[in-house]
Every structure is written in C-alpha cells, then in structure tokens.
Amino acid sequence: MSDLSILKTLSSTLPVEEQLMPVLFIGHGSPMNGIEDNEFTQAWIEQAQSIPVPKAVVVISAHWFTRGTFVTAMDFPPTIHDFGGFPQPLFNVEYPAPGDVQLAAEIAAMATTTPIELAHDWGLDHGAWTVIRHMYPNADIPVLQLSMDYTKNPAEHYALAKELYSLRKKGVLIMGSGNMVHNLRMMSWEMINGGGYDWALEMNEQFKNLILNEEHERLIDYKNINRAAMNAIPTPEHYLPLLYTLGLQKSGENISVFNDKAVAGSLTMTSVRIG
C-alpha cells in the first residue's frame, strides 16, 4: 500500500484518553550525556518516572533540520551517531526502540498547514536517543522523530505544533530537544562544567520569564527580544524545538523548569515541562 493510501484509509491508531500527557522541552547539551550519569541525566530519569508511561514518544530534535517536514516511518529506526571526535563508547551505543508506522501516518494526516511526508531514511539522532535511553532504558516504547523545515518561519513551526495537540490525548509524549541558549562558536572550555557569560544568563532568565508568563508571541519573535538574543540563538535549529513544546500547551497548564544551568559559557541546559 502506498503512503498516500495509508493516509487516506488510516483510522486512529491510539484511543483517546481523558488525561493529557505532559509535553517536554529538553536541553540535551553534549552527546556525552548519552552515556554519562550526571545531574542532567538524573533529572531526565526523574521526569520519566513522574509521568504516565507513554504509548509512544515523538521527538522534535535540533539535529533533523530539513527542506520539508518529515516523520520517521519504519519498524525499527536506526541509532544515528551524528557527531565526531567523541570516545568510542559513545559510538557503540545502540538504542533499539521500535518505531510505529501507523502512528507516523496518523501524524502526517493531522497536518493541514504544511505537508508531512513519511521518511524511511532517517532514524533516531543524538537529540533523541541520548535523552530517551536514560528515560526509557528498556527501549520498549515506540519512538518517532519529526523533522523541522528550515524554510518555515518560527510562527509556522508553532502553528504546526498546535495541529498535533490531539496526540497528547492519546498517551503520546511529545518532546522538543535542543537548547534555549546555544552558541558553540563562543564556548568556553574553562566553564565546560558550569557557568555562563552574562548575556547567556540574561537570555536564559528572559526565556524562562516569558515561558512562565505564557508570552508565546514574544518567544516566537525571539530575534526582537533584545540584543543578546542573537548571541543566544545565532542559528535557529536548537531553539525551534521549544516552540513546538509551547505550541502544544493548553492555556493555564502547570509549567515547571528543571536542569536550569548554564554550561560552557554559551549554552544552557534549561528544560521545561508543561502539564
């Protein structure tokens, strides 16, 4: 059966539940977090333990930035080692979680503002597996990735997220994975284990305040928040996953912040849970 036929004939693969699944934005930081036991990975584990076991996980990762929007649609997405210069044990990691082809087709059918195509040539990049292997170490929950179209503006990404809201009613955990402040060109090795430049700390506080006050329009128009914003977000791919998380929010939901720490001078691990 063709992808188009699947989309035309598909009925909902997951039942609607009464409780909304929380939605997360994860500051994923260094790929080394995939094999380390540290304050950040412990917080990821704690988050997983405090929410219902999801029927599936959908990740919007900073590291799948494409022309057009795609969702992984394979039975077993491969583990992608999309980095270089790290120790061999990191490259040895495999995260053999299943995919969910029917759910991928359902996600594609939800979108009306932009087409979502089924992808068979990607997998789980380090924005996904380095986090999820700590949260769900048994690799027994289906994991999918949704790409971000680099031709779309921030408002369009936010609007697409809103169209996926019903997944939260079906027990699907949706997770944006990036970093609110992410400027690798200005990294400080002296602060690699903690600490941030003044502008990074300033922007981190600005972002948190806007998130907690549900000022989404200002976060969408992040380039005009202040001058420091362009240092914090020189390129958009690590910031846009946050807009997907916010687009999935119902007004008035509980918002909490965790892993609120700057590292390497120009990155923040600050993460958000909604619901």
Side-chain angles (χ1 to χ4, degrees):
M1 182 179 290
S2 70
D3 290 349
L4 182 60
S5 297
I6 292 174
L7 296 181
K8 288 182 176 179
T9 61
L10 183 72
S11 59
S12 177
T13 61
L14 296 174
V16 175
E17 301 180 346
E18 293 184 4
Q19 182 179 4
L20 277 179
M21 180 64 77
V23 59
L24 300 174
F25 171 76
I26 300 291
H28 66 244
S30 167
M32 286 300 293
N33 289 320
I35 58 174
E36 291 181 349
D37 178 7
N38 58 40
E39 60 187 298
F40 307 125
T41 64
Q42 284 297 317
W44 300 341
I45 293 169
E46 291 166 6
Q47 287 294 324
Q49 293 173 341
S50 69
I51 62 178
V53 176
K55 301 293 194 303
V57 181
V58 175
V59 183
I60 301 95
S61 166
H63 298 281
W64 199 18
F65 210 35
T66 54
R67 185 177 183 87
T69 305
F70 300 87
V71 62
T72 53
M74 63 277 287
D75 291 325
F76 289 95
T79 304
I80 301 173
H81 302 89
D82 51 332
F83 41 72
F86 289 92
Q88 187 59 40
L90 190 61
F91 291 90
N92 294 341
V93 173
E94 296 291 330
Y95 186 71
D100 189 327
V101 175
Q102 286 189 308
L103 178 58
E106 183 176 352
I107 290 169
M110 287 179 178
T112 59
T113 60
T114 188
I116 298 178
E117 300 181 49
L118 303 184
H120 309 284
D121 58 354
W122 194 245
L124 304 181
D125 61 47
H126 82 267
W129 66 260
T130 61
V131 177
I132 296 176
R133 74 183 301 259
H134 291 287
M135 297 176 69
Y136 304 109
N138 294 330
D140 54 356
I141 296 171
V143 182
L144 293 77
Q145 277 197 225
L146 181 71
S147 79
M148 297 182 295
D149 184 351
Y150 58 73
T151 71
K152 302 294 186 183
N153 63 44
E156 290 172 310
H157 289 285
Y158 180 84
L160 175 57
K162 285 188 170 297
E163 296 183 339
L164 306 180
Y165 179 82
S166 64
L167 292 173
R168 295 186 61 195
K169 301 178 181 179
K170 300 179 180 183
V172 176
L173 175 63
I174 306 175
M175 183 175 81
S177 178
N179 292 96
M180 285 188 207
V181 176
H182 184 271
N183 190 331
L184 295 183
R185 290 173 294 183
M186 298 181 72
M187 278 181 57
S188 165
W189 289 102
E190 293 179 356
M191 292 189 277
I192 193 67
N193 293 319
Y197 298 117
D198 289 346
W199 58 262
L201 300 176
E202 174 189 350
M203 284 312 305
N204 193 58
E205 289 302 311
Q206 285 265 19
F207 289 145
K208 284 191 300 179
N209 289 335
L210 293 172
I211 291 166
L212 293 171
N213 291 319
E214 298 186 31
E215 295 186 56
H216 292 185
E217 289 300 323
R218 291 195 65 197
L219 288 158
I220 290 168
D221 189 27
Y222 68 90
K223 292 181 181 179
N224 293 315
I225 293 175
N226 61 27
R227 186 176 298 178
M230 297 316 296
N231 277 337
I233 313 168
T235 57
E237 72 283 347
H238 277 77
Y239 179 80
L240 290 174
L242 172 65
L243 297 185
Y244 280 82
T245 299
L246 299 178
L248 289 156
Q249 179 180 357
K250 182 176 70 173
S251 181
E253 281 191 276
N254 182 60
I255 307 168
S256 57
V257 174
F258 60 99
N259 280 351
D260 185 16
K261 182 176 181 179
V263 296
S266 60
L267 292 86
T268 59
M269 297 294 292
T270 307
S271 304
V272 178
R273 170 174 167 171
I274 295 171

